[in-house]
Amino acid sequence: INVIKQKALQFSENSLHRCLMDMDNEALERAVELMGNADRIMLCGNGSAGGIVQAGVGLLMSMGFNAFVVSDGLLQLRTAATLGKKDVLIVISYDGQAKSSADSVMLARQGGAAVILITSMRESLMGRYADCILYTPARTGGNAMNITATALCQLGVLQVLMLCTVTKYYDRFVKRSKQQLALSDLDRYELRQKELRIAKMRQVEES
């Protein structure tokens, strides 16, 4: 079992390292500029990328970005059609060909929104319409770790993009990120209830 764990860890580490170190810095700087000046940031992805999009929105919101995702296919298209010149659409697609995501790209571009594509394919339909493209490593045939490694790389690219943007536009995000992080306390209701029960028990004992 330890051998399998070591091989899985090594494969994931190598994939993520190759992904981040080979990232095009010019494309990254362009994406940072777009995100730093965006009013709204919409993320979309299908299949395994759908889970990465959900996690990515949580990361971005925690740092003060006005980011969101729409899971329903039709609502996704309708929302993409509302994006304008100060908005950004981030699309995650392994091959850059997923229909609903590609349709969202077309609609967003029609409204004047910028498009950031995270993909593994150098040639793709969505790549023709993206303002900048950040690549993840292509999968190697026959490896059971392929999909997991791709997901880690996609999330890693999002995290680097977020950190670079917050660093460059720190004054713009510091207050909003503190507000968002403060909301995390609301997710501790069960703990607060426990503290309240303990406090009440002490009051009873003291009386």
Side-chain angles (χ1 to χ4, degrees):
I1 292 178
N2 282 333
V3 173
I4 295 175
K5 289 193 296 184
Q6 290 172 358
K7 287 184 177 181
L9 179 61
Q10 184 177 15
F11 185 83
S12 298
E13 284 182 342
N14 291 340
S15 298
L16 188 57
H17 183 271
R18 187 168 76 254
C19 172
L20 299 184
M21 297 310 296
D22 290 347
M23 192 183 301
D24 186 332
N25 287 337
E26 290 187 6
L28 179 59
E29 289 175 358
R30 173 60 175 153
V32 166
E33 181 181 0
L34 292 172
M35 287 186 62
N37 292 287
D39 286 342
R40 296 184 298 164
I41 300 174
M42 177 179 173
L43 283 77
C44 72
N46 300 100
S48 58
I52 303 303
V53 163
Q54 294 283 350
V57 165
L59 286 173
L60 292 173
M61 291 184 69
S62 71
M63 297 306 294
F65 291 87
N66 184 10
F68 64 95
V69 61
V70 181
S71 299
D72 181 82
L74 179 56
L75 291 180
Q76 176 179 295
L77 297 177
R78 288 175 172 168
T79 306
T82 70
L83 299 179
K85 294 181 179 180
K86 292 288 290 181
D87 301 322
V88 171
L89 175 65
I90 299 178
V91 185
I92 300 179
S93 175
Y94 175 76
D95 60 8
Q97 299 290 134
K99 186 180 185 302
S100 61
S101 293
D103 290 343
S104 295
V105 168
M106 306 297 182
L107 292 169
R109 287 305 301 266
Q110 287 176 11
V115 176
I116 299 171
L117 174 63
I118 299 175
T119 185
S120 295
M121 296 295 105
R122 299 287 166 169
E123 297 291 335
S124 68
L125 175 61
M126 282 184 263
R128 300 174 192 171
Y129 299 95
D131 292 274
C132 58
I133 306 174
L134 300 173
Y135 292 102
T136 54
R139 296 169 184 164
T140 54
N143 194 315
M145 286 292 297
N146 272 326
I147 295 179
T148 302
T150 297
L152 288 172
C153 290
Q154 291 168 342
L155 190 58
V157 169
L158 268 180
Q159 190 166 30
V160 168
L161 183 53
M162 176 192 71
L163 292 174
C164 288
T165 304
V166 170
T167 301
K168 182 174 181 178
Y169 298 92
Y170 178 80
D171 292 338
R172 185 174 304 172
F173 289 100
V174 61
K175 183 178 180 180
R176 285 186 285 175
S177 64
K178 288 180 179 179
Q179 291 172 339
Q180 287 291 327
L181 291 174
L183 293 175
S184 298
D185 289 339
L186 297 177
D187 198 31
R188 302 294 182 270
Y189 187 72
E190 185 175 323
L191 178 59
R192 288 184 174 183
Q193 285 294 91
K194 181 179 180 181
E195 292 173 349
L196 287 172
R197 286 196 297 269
I198 292 175
K200 289 180 179 179
M201 289 174 62
R202 287 175 178 172
Q203 289 177 356
V204 172
E205 291 172 356
E206 291 173 357
S207 62

